[in-house]
Amino acid sequence: MSLFDTVRNTIVPVHKEGYPFVAAFFVASLVLGWIFKPLFWIGLILTLWCAYFFRDPERVTPQDDDLVISPADGKVSSIQMVTPPAELNLGSEPMLRISVFMNVFNCHVNRAPMRGRIVSINHRPGSFVNAELDKASEENERNGLVIETRHGQIGVVQIAGLVARRILCFSHVNEPIDAGERFGLIRFGSRLDVFLPANTAPRVSLGQTAIAGETVIAEFASAKGPVISRRS
């Protein structure tokens, strides 16, 4: 392997949504450096952080329709039975909700937790309280997807946070989606909630670190053999 290949495989690509921000940070660094030279280095550090924030690494996703994969990088902040948001139209019975909180240092590219078909996408305006708080699921601005899977419908909700002001969703209604496939991004700190049928078994613990597209957070069946994975 050449030095070029080694460097290319080591550097994590930046998601295209981050290009304008990285460019703006760099231009600001040049302007600040022209005014006062030490400010250039501060700006350059912030530019590198911005590129790091918008990183979009490859992930190896287990290919098993009985597994639920984490939709986000971050900390598992909630595992409980709650009534899903009304806009998801998933009924009034409690469902298993697993929440993953992303801080400003986590990768913010969101990935589908299961394979299926997107049956609805609903955006709801709201406030911007700390996304780690339980009330954020009800009060904050959010964007919810409902995915029809072999086990029925599940919900995935992108929730804005204290700093986040922009929720992006790349998917569309009636599109098929694979487990681990990128479907959205939230800028600068936020949370993802996954709503699952009551008979789903959690496979993570509170405070555990989850990796989007790789960590199994719940399961519909157990005592299975080896699972095939797909790189994306």
Side-chain angles (χ1 to χ4, degrees):
M1 181 180 293
S2 67
L3 178 61
F4 174 79
D5 289 333
T6 301
V7 173
R8 184 183 61 182
N9 292 334
T10 301
I11 295 176
V12 176
V14 175
H15 195 279
K16 64 180 181 180
E17 292 291 338
Y19 293 166
F21 291 89
V22 175
F25 271 69
F26 184 69
V27 171
S29 300
L30 294 176
V31 173
L32 292 173
W34 181 75
I35 297 173
F36 183 52
K37 189 173 182 179
L39 292 178
F40 168 78
W41 299 107
I42 296 175
L44 183 60
I45 292 173
L46 292 175
T47 301
L48 293 175
W49 169 81
C50 186
Y52 177 74
F53 175 87
F54 283 103
R55 66 194 183 279
D56 185 15
E58 283 190 346
R59 296 291 164 81
V60 180
T61 304
Q63 296 299 288
D64 188 323
D65 289 342
D66 290 333
L67 301 180
V68 183
I69 312 301
S70 179
D73 284 17
K75 181 181 70 174
V76 177
S77 60
S78 176
I79 304 173
Q80 57 182 310
M81 299 296 296
V82 298
T83 302
E87 68 268 16
L88 297 182
N89 293 315
L90 290 175
S92 58
E93 294 298 317
M95 299 182 73
L96 174 65
R97 185 187 70 192
I98 300 179
S99 304
V100 179
F101 173 74
M102 300 178 285
N103 63 38
V104 295
F105 296 104
N106 291 127
C107 175
H108 275 55
V109 175
N110 306 144
R111 293 172 177 262
M114 295 186 72
R115 182 173 67 89
R117 180 178 63 87
I118 300 173
V119 297
S120 69
I121 300 176
N122 296 281
H123 179 268
R124 180 186 180 278
S127 57
F128 298 95
V129 302
N130 187 346
E132 197 167 10
L133 299 176
D134 193 57
K135 65 180 181 180
S137 292
E138 298 179 0
E139 298 182 7
N140 280 20
E141 179 171 338
R142 59 184 184 258
N143 185 68
L145 284 71
V146 175
I147 302 175
E148 183 71 47
T149 75
R150 62 172 291 185
H151 294 284
Q153 293 186 347
I154 68 167
V156 187
V157 183
Q158 300 168 284
I159 302 174
L162 186 64
V163 181
R165 289 295 186 273
R166 183 75 166 126
I167 297 175
L168 302 176
C169 181
F170 314 137
S171 298
H172 301 89
V173 175
N174 291 324
E175 283 186 347
I177 194 165
D178 284 328
E181 183 178 338
R182 300 164 180 84
F183 76 87
L185 181 150
I186 313 178
R187 294 176 189 162
F188 309 118
S190 44
R191 168 176 164 176
L192 266 288
D193 285 351
V194 181
F195 291 88
L196 302 164
N199 61 348
T200 313
R203 290 291 180 260
V204 285
S205 302
L206 285 176
Q208 180 177 335
T209 298
I211 299 175
E214 292 191 350
T215 301
V216 176
I217 61 173
E219 187 176 7
F220 284 91
S222 59
K224 302 182 67 97
V227 176
I228 297 174
S229 297
R230 175 176 58 85
R231 185 180 297 275
S232 64

